[in-house]
Amino acid sequence: MLLELEFSKGLPAGLRVDAARLFAAIGTCQSVDELRAVPILLGSRLVEAGEIVDWRGSLAADSPAVTAGGDWSHVDGVGAGWRRGFLDVQSSAGHRAGKEMSGGQIRIAGNAADDAAQGMTGGSLKIQLNAGARVGGPLPGRAAGMNCGQIAIGGNAGRHAGWRMRRGTLFVAGSCGELAGYELRGGNVVIAGSAGPMAGHDCRRGSLVVFGPRPEIGPGFRRCGLFRTAFLKLLVHSLGRAEFQAAGLADRPMELFHGDWLHGSRGELWVNPETALTRGGG
């Protein structure tokens, strides 16, 4: 059984919607009648979801399948609290898409704004185009970001990608802004394109892998050597199942750096050895 959601025509232009409560309720497999009564934020006021969302189909109790049609780019909290089943968003999504997601699958056909997968603890989030800043980062006031699961981005990601990430895998098929892997605490951040300035700054555990043009290596990283490793091949193989063209990236030797030693830590930074020399870290 499939539940189709679409915003009613004639909503005031320019108003943002926060639908986090609605998607969290879908994740607990409530009935459609109960979902219609869930309060969501329209601009500065609370309204019932049934007042502004059109509903077709029904909700499966064991594994919900939901399609979000129309334009969701002005909607924040799309897929927030998602626990099981499949959510197909057929457009771009607003801020905090997949916030506190703990299971199931979410596919966003367009872009996702800032703070996608904030506080994620499980499941699979696929963003077909670009993501904004702080993807996989921590909830406000929390010490750790993404704690499990997989995020796959088909385009570019903004600054602070993988901020304070502890577990799981974040794959970016394009390039990242500055401070990719900032305060990394574990897990894997894999960038097929280029990383911006200060990649891996304050990295303490985990792996940051940059297959594209070699980033500037900070003074807190120490070179360990040039390696062909089964770890990268297995990692790329697992990402290949996410329908992104990662195959072949790990066939080349990669240069390994440990750091960020300025913060007393031992994360891993894997970079392409074929471009410019490092500054301070070699």
Side-chain angles (χ1 to χ4, degrees):
M1 290 182 286
L2 176 68
L3 178 64
E4 299 180 45
L5 306 178
E6 188 169 348
F7 277 94
S8 305
K9 302 297 188 292
L11 284 178
L15 281 184
R16 296 204 66 83
V17 178
D18 190 334
R21 293 183 183 181
L22 172 62
F23 285 98
I26 293 173
T28 61
C29 295
Q30 300 183 31
S31 70
V32 172
D33 288 338
E34 290 175 307
L35 293 177
R36 291 179 186 273
V38 171
I40 62 179
L41 195 63
L42 174 64
S44 60
R45 64 189 182 94
L46 284 174
V47 300
E48 290 188 356
E51 296 181 26
I52 61 172
V53 179
D54 293 329
W55 311 72
R56 291 184 297 275
S58 57
L59 190 65
D62 53 348
S63 182
V66 180
T67 296
D71 182 13
W72 291 73
S73 61
H74 63 297
V75 182
D76 301 329
V78 173
W82 197 257
R83 300 183 182 185
R84 66 180 77 180
F86 180 65
L87 170 62
D88 184 18
V89 183
Q90 298 181 342
S91 69
S92 295
H95 302 291
R96 300 182 297 281
K99 174 185 174 184
E100 296 186 275
M101 179 182 182
S102 60
Q105 301 177 61
I106 299 174
R107 184 188 77 92
I108 298 173
N111 303 309
D114 295 343
D115 298 307
Q118 187 182 55
M120 180 179 185
T121 59
S124 172
L125 172 63
K126 185 185 300 182
I127 301 168
Q128 296 289 88
L129 298 180
N130 304 314
R134 300 178 298 277
V135 59
L139 294 164
R142 299 289 179 86
M146 175 183 177
N147 199 34
C148 203
Q150 184 180 98
I151 304 169
I153 300 170
N156 301 320
R159 65 197 309 266
H160 289 86
W163 178 28
R164 291 187 188 169
M165 181 174 163
R166 293 197 66 178
R167 295 181 182 88
T169 301
L170 165 62
F171 173 65
V172 182
S175 299
C176 287
E178 63 267 30
L179 288 163
Y182 178 51
E183 296 185 330
L184 189 66
R185 300 296 187 259
N188 307 298
V189 178
V190 183
I191 304 169
S194 61
M198 301 182 71
H201 179 68
D202 196 6
C203 172
R204 303 193 180 187
R205 280 187 174 82
S207 299
L208 173 62
V209 184
V210 183
F211 286 113
R214 178 178 180 152
E216 185 177 23
I217 310 297
F221 286 89
R222 300 176 184 174
R223 186 180 185 276
C224 298
L226 196 64
F227 301 94
R228 292 181 187 269
T229 171
F231 160 70
L232 291 181
K233 290 189 177 182
L234 289 170
L235 182 58
V236 167
H237 177 71
S238 71
L239 294 170
R241 295 198 298 268
E243 300 177 6
F244 291 102
Q245 299 302 316
L249 288 177
D251 292 337
R252 69 187 73 168
M254 295 286 283
E255 199 165 9
L256 172 62
F257 292 80
H258 277 164
D260 183 345
W261 288 100
L262 293 180
H263 300 275
S265 306
R266 292 196 62 181
E268 294 184 347
L269 173 59
W270 294 87
V271 300
N272 186 342
E274 299 175 359
T275 52
L277 296 176
T278 65
R279 176 182 61 83

